[in-house]
Structure formats: C-alpha cells, structure tokens
Amino acid sequence: MNAAQPLRLAEMTTEEAATAVTASPVVIIPAGAFEQHGPAMPLATDTIRAEGVAERVAAALAGGAVIGPPLPVGVSPHHLAFAGTVTLTTTTLAAVVREYVESLYRHGWRKILVITGHGGNNATLSTVAQDLLTTHPDLQFAWTPVTSLAADVVSGMGVSEVHGHSGEAETAQMLHLAPGLVHTDRLTAGTTSTAQLDPLSRLSRHGTHPALAVRYDRLSPNGILGDPRRATTEDGQAVVDAAVVRVVAFVKEWLDA
C-alpha cells in the first residue's frame, strides 16, 4: 500500500488489517449525518466533510492511522421537518459507536478517533467516551468536531450574526471538498440575525444561557443559518486545512504519549 495515500480499513484484506493493528495504531472514524442542508447542498454534507478531513489527516500521518468504517447517519431529530432527513436516536448512535469500538478493540486497536461533521452527535460521543473509561480502561477514545476546530478561521470570514448550519462555513467547506455537489445557483440566505428569531429561538442561540434544544424549522424556514452565498472555496480550504493541521498535531502527540 502507498503510505502517501490515506489508508482505509475497508480496502484491506483481513491479513493486511492484522498488520495494520501495529503499523497504524490509530483508527479514524468519520461521523456525519443524513439531513437537510438547505436547497443547495446534499443530505450527506456532514459526512462528506468529516470524510474529507479524515482522509487528509490519515494521509498526513503517512500510515500512522487507518480510516475505519464511517458513521453516515447521526442524531438529527431537529431536522425531521425537512424532507430526506434520516435520524438515529442518541441511544442507537451510542450503541453503534460502542459496537464499532468493541470490534476494533477485539482485533487489538487501542486508539480510536471519531471526527464528526455533525454537531448533533457531540453529546452522544461525549457520553460514550465517559462510559468507555469504565468498560475499556486500556482504550483511548477521542473525538472532535470539524468546524469548531477552526473557529478562529471562521470568525475571520465575516460570517452573519446568526450562522452555522448550511451557512458560510459549511458551504465553504463543501465548495472546497465536493464542489460538484453544491448547487451554487440555489444558494440562498437563511436566518442571519437574532432579530429574525422568535423569543424562544433567540434564547436557544444565546451562548451564555443553559442549553435549549429547538427544531430547525423554527430557527429557519429554509433550514439555513447564515448566508451561504458569501462562502468561497478559499475560505473552505482555510477551514479544512486548519482542522487537519490541528488534528494531525494532536494525533502525533497522542502517539508519543
């Protein structure tokens, strides 16, 4: 296998997988969602972004990590008002992650990293990480979102007051990673200011208050937070590059720890 390319467990034979346990001690699992991303981007947007970052991280590690099976459906009940959205419950996602881990653990892997492109998966991944401390004390389980790793880059993009789902940052990443799947002629603004939100929705977006979950059809009629028309390929590359550099640095230190 060419170590300059990202190593994928799915492309290995069982004999090659056995060797990879030692040669590639970190398994990277891309996690995403199957949910609406407005009128211009595909339902698999979050999975595509997670896989794009995972591939670049694995390539940069030159064989030190292998990409495991993806998690293409996530926790998305807040998007169910929009056609095409498919969701798992938090309980189901947690069970699937644990069973992925159990299988990989059985074969000898002890370092597993989940890269998630969907914020709705975060709470579940955090819970699984805590549970694994008890059930698998010799396992090291890490997880990270994508966009928030490059929050400094996003803040420099001139994003809208209200931004996030299908907005400037996500659209920019897709323009970089999968431009053929972005219908640029259909890009349209969603909710861009707190003045457009009703009182409950406004409360849910206030970062200093207790967390409050609301449905996305309440936050935005078209499911978009921000103005994706302002997204550029260059911004997308900057976000992805920053995320990759930071994950690679973490993994290198992790391998040496």
Side-chain angles (χ1 to χ4, degrees):
M1 291 183 185
N2 185 352
Q5 298 298 317
L7 301 181
R8 294 178 175 84
L9 190 57
E11 296 174 356
M12 295 180 180
T13 66
T14 186
E15 289 83 2
E16 290 169 335
T19 300
V21 171
T22 301
S24 306
V26 176
V27 180
I28 302 173
I29 298 176
F34 202 96
E35 64 184 27
Q36 70 87 17
H37 275 80
M41 293 202 296
L43 298 168
T45 287
D46 291 341
T47 305
I48 291 167
R49 294 188 300 109
E51 289 179 335
V53 171
E55 288 168 0
R56 286 159 176 76
V57 168
L61 291 168
V66 60
I67 299 173
L71 291 159
V73 181
V75 178
S76 304
H78 43 307
H79 292 283
L80 279 173
F82 296 92
T85 297
V86 176
T87 187
L88 301 178
T89 63
T90 57
T91 302
T92 299
L93 179 61
V96 173
V97 173
R98 288 191 190 102
E99 289 176 21
Y100 275 25
V101 168
E102 287 279 3
S103 297
L104 295 166
Y105 181 90
R106 180 184 181 92
H107 300 307
W109 275 287
R110 295 294 183 267
K111 288 181 170 63
I112 297 172
L113 169 65
V114 176
I115 296 176
T116 178
H118 176 49
N121 296 336
N122 292 359
T124 302
L125 293 171
S126 182
T127 299
V128 170
Q130 293 299 312
D131 290 345
L132 289 171
L133 290 175
T134 300
T135 61
H136 295 73
D138 60 333
L139 173 76
Q140 298 169 34
F141 179 87
W143 68 272
T144 182
V146 171
T147 306
S148 61
L149 275 182
D152 55 331
V153 178
V154 174
S155 66
M157 289 171 54
V159 293
S160 306
E161 178 191 8
V162 173
H163 63 94
H165 186 77
S166 302
E168 295 90 338
E170 286 194 347
T171 304
Q173 291 169 62
M174 286 294 286
L175 287 171
H176 171 54
L177 294 170
L181 295 178
V182 181
H183 301 277
T184 53
D185 58 323
R186 302 180 200 170
L187 290 172
T188 183
T191 299
T192 58
S193 69
T194 55
Q196 294 173 268
L197 298 170
D198 63 44
L200 191 68
S201 297
R202 192 156 50 245
L203 188 63
S204 75
R205 301 293 296 177
H206 201 299
T208 60
H209 287 172
L212 174 66
V214 300
R215 299 183 335 191
Y216 260 74
D217 52 314
R218 182 164 190 160
L219 292 171
S220 171
N222 65 2
I224 298 171
L225 299 181
D227 189 348
R229 297 172 300 179
R230 300 164 65 179
T232 68
T233 303
E234 293 74 21
D235 282 339
Q237 181 172 355
V239 172
V240 170
D241 287 351
V244 169
V245 165
R246 289 160 188 177
V247 174
V248 169
F250 168 81
V251 174
K252 287 181 176 178
E253 188 171 348
W254 194 17
L255 288 169
D256 290 337

